[in-house]
Amino acid sequence: MANATMEEFEALLNESFEIDTPEEGAVVKGKVIAIEAGQAIIDVGYKMEGRVDLKEFANPGEAPEIAVGDEVEVFLRTVENARGEAVISREMARREAAWDRLEKAYADEERVEGAIFGRVKGGFTVDLGGAVAFLPGSQVDVRPVRDAGPLMNLKQPFQILKMDRRRGNIVVSRRAILEESRAEQRAEVIGKLSEGDVVDGVVKNITEYGAFVDLGGVDGLLHVTDMAWRRVNDPKEVLSIGETVKVQVIKVNKDTHRISLGMKQLQEDPWNLVEGKYPLDSTHTGRVTNITDYGAFVELEPGVEGLVHVSEMSWTKKNVHPGKIVSTSQEVEVMVLEIDTAKRRVSLGLKQTMRNPWEVFEEQYPVGTVVEGEVKNITEFGLFVGLDNDIDGMVHLSDLTWEGRGEDVIGNYRKGDVVQAVVSEVDTDKERISLSIKAVEGDPFADAVDGVKRGSIITVEVTAIEDGGIEVDYEGMKSFIRRSDLSRDRAEQRPERFQVGDKLDVRVTNVDGRSRRLGLSIKAREIAEEKEAVEQYGSSDSGASLGDILGAALKGGDN
């Protein structure tokens, strides 16, 4: 029995020690019994006291709030040190309590309160009521913050992004809170807006494609095409940051919270009056606003632009970039060619305000006129000669020379040569001018055969004798009389009976201006003479012989 009693007493004694002696590394409650030398002396019970620096009772940037008699929680690090005191820490107690609270807030996705109190590489440190968290620089605000001074040591809400208690890491965001509140404010403002509303806003930012306008907590986009009816190349020409503007709500997307705004919608649409102000074929002065590969845009008035297509820019410059003909901001005179109000398009012409240079040329240089110009180009089919008003005329191979082939003489010409030519044709519709160099000196064939017609008797000189006939010359023009045309009598149709230099009377059977040839025949002359003699001196039916008739004719000729 006695042994049992001793065992029970020992067990009770051990249990008493376990209760009365707190475990190191735990958070315990204590009472402030004195404050001295910047420290608070705290009785943690169990006949133990410890000291804590007063600064551990202060929040960042604030004075410590502690007084004798206050009950506080502290972290018991060591039960007894060399001085026989407990080693306790208020800061570590707060940290332990803070981690419990923060883990619960992280799990419930709730906001936590804290204060930024220091700077570190890449961001800031935040006191979350005992636990220190990292605030990355990108998570401070919705826009980059140049000066974080005003945000320091202020109690404000944060969102925990991630935390690891074992490693003691916490990452928080202030930006997430701002975006959330901003989204709530945005939703509230958007809920009050309707398409067509006219509101005042402040220009917050300007980009190359438009401007963002603050409508009181929510931004709307004012696109560059909706700033004015006229073309706006740079939004800064129209707006400046901080300016208050009156805008109309064009579109509101409740889901994406995007708002489209317009300024030109508050003004009269100039296109309503275009047809009346710019009738077809009327001419107006405009300003070149933009130049493209296919033409130039010309502003007739603010908000009304027309396109001068490259094909309507110049009568003569066909394959030139529009920028070589006009320049931006240049004032030009244009003609209205077409209006499509539905598509808000005006087709303009630049060349129509100037006379057709081919018509002007035709008036100044009628067919037959001699002109002078520089050889601009040489092709396989002729020469191109530069004329007045930047137009060209063409000399075909066949118009280079009267004698020989054009292919043989075109090699005598070079670019830059100045030549004279006769205007042979002007086609204003096809914009073509035909010239003739050979015609400058006149047509030797036409001059030679002037007055000669079919049936005429002319005198020629034999220049060559061939097997098939003879070559003769008339006023410098060569012709050929075939063997069958050398005589009516077959026995006399011998070329060798003629000699070079003989003078012969021949009858003209054909005048071919195209081939520049005379058809000649001795036989035809003889037949014609016989016919004429018969008609004058008798009939072949009267019994008179041909010799008698010709004799009479010759006798009559002598008389």
Side-chain angles (χ1 to χ4, degrees):
M1 185 71 177
N3 288 338
T5 305
M6 285 298 293
E7 287 175 2
E8 288 174 3
F9 176 75
E10 188 176 348
L12 288 171
L13 186 61
N14 289 336
E15 185 180 338
S16 167
F17 279 133
E18 286 178 8
I19 292 172
D20 292 339
T21 306
E23 185 179 344
E24 291 182 350
V27 176
V28 297
K29 286 188 177 181
K31 180 181 283 190
V32 179
I33 56 175
I35 294 175
E36 57 184 39
Q39 292 182 322
I41 301 171
I42 300 171
D43 178 3
V44 294
Y46 320 110
K47 299 180 181 179
M48 288 190 297
E49 295 175 357
R51 296 171 179 270
V52 178
D53 289 341
L54 292 181
K55 64 181 180 181
E56 289 192 32
F57 293 94
N59 290 320
E62 298 178 7
E65 293 182 5
I66 189 73
V68 174
D70 287 352
E71 278 198 357
V72 294
E73 287 187 339
V74 292
F75 184 83
L76 181 60
R77 299 174 67 177
T78 306
V79 172
E80 189 174 339
N81 62 10
R83 293 187 297 178
E85 294 178 338
V87 180
I88 58 177
S89 169
R90 166 64 177 162
E91 188 174 299
M92 294 179 71
R94 288 176 69 234
R95 185 179 305 151
E96 290 297 312
W99 272 95
D100 292 339
R101 174 174 51 81
L102 294 174
E103 282 184 330
K104 184 176 184 306
Y106 181 53
D108 296 341
E109 296 183 0
E110 293 178 349
R111 300 177 181 183
V112 294
E113 193 175 68
I116 303 171
F117 68 90
R119 294 176 184 270
V120 293
K121 184 178 180 180
F124 303 86
T125 49
V126 179
D127 179 10
L128 299 179
V132 176
F134 174 61
L135 172 64
S138 62
Q139 296 296 322
V140 177
D141 206 327
V142 290
R143 289 190 176 87
V145 175
R146 293 181 181 178
D147 180 16
L151 301 176
M152 302 289 280
N153 300 319
L154 289 178
K155 283 190 177 181
Q156 51 192 318
F158 293 89
Q159 189 79 39
I160 299 175
L161 299 181
K162 56 184 178 180
M163 63 187 300
D164 184 339
R165 186 163 189 166
R166 186 171 59 84
R167 294 182 178 180
N169 293 336
I170 306 175
V171 179
V172 294
S173 170
R174 177 175 177 269
R175 175 179 175 174
I177 303 295
L178 296 176
E179 286 179 342
E180 188 177 332
S181 60
R182 197 166 174 228
E184 292 171 1
Q185 184 182 16
R186 190 180 181 89
E188 183 181 350
V189 174
I190 288 176
K192 297 176 182 177
L193 290 176
S194 300
E195 291 178 10
D197 287 353
V198 177
V199 294
D200 288 329
V202 177
V203 178
K204 287 183 65 177
N205 191 25
I206 298 176
T207 68
E208 60 182 14
Y209 56 85
F212 288 94
V213 180
D214 184 358
L215 303 179
V218 60
D219 290 350
L221 173 62
L222 173 59
H223 197 269
V224 64
T225 57
D226 288 309
M227 289 183 179
W229 290 109
R230 66 179 177 85
R231 179 193 295 269
V232 176
N233 292 318
D234 184 357
K236 291 180 181 177
E237 297 173 2
V238 181
L239 301 171
S240 56
I241 293 177
E243 179 184 356
T244 300
V245 291
K246 194 174 289 294
V247 291
Q248 185 176 61
V249 178
I250 300 174
K251 190 174 181 182
V252 178
N253 189 319
K254 305 284 186 182
D255 297 326
T256 62
H257 290 181
R258 288 184 179 173
I259 304 169
S260 297
L261 305 172
M263 285 173 63
K264 72 180 185 183
Q265 288 76 4
L266 301 176
Q267 304 162 357
E268 173 72 25
D269 185 352
W271 276 90
N272 296 336
L273 308 171
V274 163
E275 283 187 311
K277 291 178 71 174
Y278 303 100
L280 297 182
D281 298 330
S282 60
T283 57
H284 306 271
T285 300
R287 183 177 61 87
V288 178
T289 56
N290 194 27
I291 297 174
T292 68
D293 290 339
Y294 53 86
F297 288 91
V298 176
E299 184 183 66
L300 298 175
E301 66 173 84
V304 179
E305 276 187 348
L307 172 65
V308 181
H309 192 267
V310 63
S311 62
E312 307 294 348
M313 300 197 81
S314 172
W315 288 107
T316 55
K317 297 173 182 175
K318 303 294 185 183
N319 298 312
V320 177
H321 190 277
K324 297 286 182 68
I325 300 174
V326 295
S327 55
T328 305
S329 299
Q330 178 185 347
E331 285 201 349
V332 292
E333 190 176 6
V334 290
M335 178 180 285
V336 178
L337 305 180
E338 186 182 348
I339 293 179
D340 187 336
T341 50
K343 293 182 179 178
R344 303 171 74 88
R345 291 179 182 169
V346 177
S347 295
L348 303 172
L350 191 64
K351 70 181 185 181
Q352 286 79 359
T353 61
M354 299 170 274
R355 286 198 63 195
N356 183 330
W358 283 270
E359 291 178 358
V360 175
F361 183 88
E362 188 176 33
E363 290 176 8
Q364 293 179 341
Y365 305 100
V367 171
T369 308
V370 177
V371 294
E372 189 174 83
E374 186 179 306
V375 176
K376 297 288 188 183
N377 199 15
I378 302 174
T379 69
E380 60 184 10
F381 49 83
L383 309 176
F384 284 92
V385 178
L387 303 171
D388 291 351
N389 299 320
D390 287 331
I391 59 177
D392 291 342
M394 193 190 82
V395 183
H396 193 268
L397 287 173
S398 60
D399 286 308
L400 288 173
T401 180
W402 292 112
E403 300 296 332
R405 302 187 318 150
E407 291 89 336
D408 298 331
V409 299
I410 194 170
N412 298 332
Y413 294 93
R414 298 285 181 270
K415 277 188 182 181
D417 287 353
V418 176
V419 296
Q420 285 189 330
V422 171
V423 179
S424 53
E425 184 186 6
V426 179
D427 189 331
T428 55
D429 293 332
K430 293 182 179 178
E431 300 180 350
R432 291 178 185 167
I433 297 172
S434 297
L435 304 174
S436 174
I437 289 178
K438 70 182 184 181
V440 173
E441 299 176 357
D443 184 350
F445 177 78
D447 294 342
V449 301
D450 187 27
V452 175
K453 56 187 178 179
R454 188 175 179 180
S456 298
I457 304 297
I458 60 174
T459 301
V460 298
E461 182 179 341
V462 178
T463 55
I465 297 171
E466 301 177 10
D467 289 343
I470 62 174
E471 183 187 72
V472 298
D473 177 87
Y474 176 71
E475 299 290 338
M477 302 302 300
K478 300 292 184 185
S479 293
F480 190 78
I481 304 175
R482 294 173 300 175
R483 177 189 282 269
S484 59
D485 283 311
L486 291 178
S487 176
R488 178 182 177 192
D489 187 349
R490 288 182 65 87
E492 296 297 316
Q493 293 176 348
R494 291 177 293 108
E496 59 269 21
R497 72 185 184 92
F498 298 96
Q499 291 185 353
V500 173
D502 286 353
K503 299 284 196 307
L504 306 174
D505 287 342
V506 296
R507 182 181 176 90
V508 178
T509 58
N510 186 35
V511 180
D512 190 344
R514 194 178 192 85
S515 65
R516 302 170 52 73
R517 290 287 177 184
L518 284 176
L520 304 176
S521 174
I522 298 173
K523 176 181 176 180
R525 189 208 76 204
E526 293 174 345
I527 292 173
E529 287 176 349
E530 179 186 335
K531 184 178 179 182
E532 186 180 344
V534 168
E535 288 175 353
Q536 288 188 15
Y537 299 100
S539 168
S540 56
D541 296 334
S542 65
S545 68
L546 180 60
D548 295 337
I549 295 170
L550 288 176
L554 291 170
K555 188 177 181 182
D558 294 338
N559 293 334

